[in-house]
Amino acid sequence: MGRHHRALHPPPPLGPGRRAHRSQIRVRTQRLCYLASPEEAKLRYGEAVRNRYVSVTGNEFGTATLEGRDLPPDRAQAAYQRLTRLARKLKQKGE
């Protein structure tokens, strides 16, 4: 089932004795909110797209903090993986 198709159906119950992780609860809640009001969900998404940004700020350690907000999840994940690889290489070199 594709992600767009899944969004149109309520999440299945967890089952007896199963506990949900915070991220699972967030995803389930988002899906239920979408089902309750798809038009409002589309408006919120459009607002998030308009408010997207990436920023870099220096911190008290002489390093920088990189932050991205309201980015497409797949691109944010790809950027995270690239930056993680870069950080590991720098760490291996002693930087």
Side-chain angles (χ1 to χ4, degrees):
M1 183 180 329
R3 69 184 165 119
H4 298 294
H5 183 69
R6 281 193 308 266
L8 300 177
H9 300 283
L14 286 175
R18 292 197 53 210
R19 292 178 48 184
H21 188 271
R22 276 181 271 175
S23 62
Q24 291 171 313
I25 293 169
R26 185 184 73 246
V27 169
R28 293 168 71 82
T29 302
Q30 287 171 339
R31 190 180 305 171
L32 289 171
C33 288
Y34 175 82
L35 289 171
S37 181
E39 290 304 315
E40 188 174 330
K42 289 176 187 175
L43 290 173
R44 285 193 312 271
Y45 179 83
E47 184 177 334
V49 168
R50 286 188 299 280
N51 293 325
R52 283 182 181 161
Y53 73 90
V54 175
S55 67
V56 177
T57 54
N59 60 39
E60 67 272 20
F61 306 111
T63 59
T65 300
L66 175 66
E67 178 185 23
R69 300 283 301 201
D70 298 320
L71 305 172
D74 57 336
R75 290 183 175 177
Q77 182 64 33
Y80 171 81
Q81 290 171 341
R82 284 192 305 272
L83 290 170
T84 299
R85 284 193 301 273
L86 175 62
R88 287 183 180 149
K89 286 179 185 179
L90 290 171
K91 195 173 184 179
Q92 287 174 350
K93 292 179 181 181
E95 293 185 42

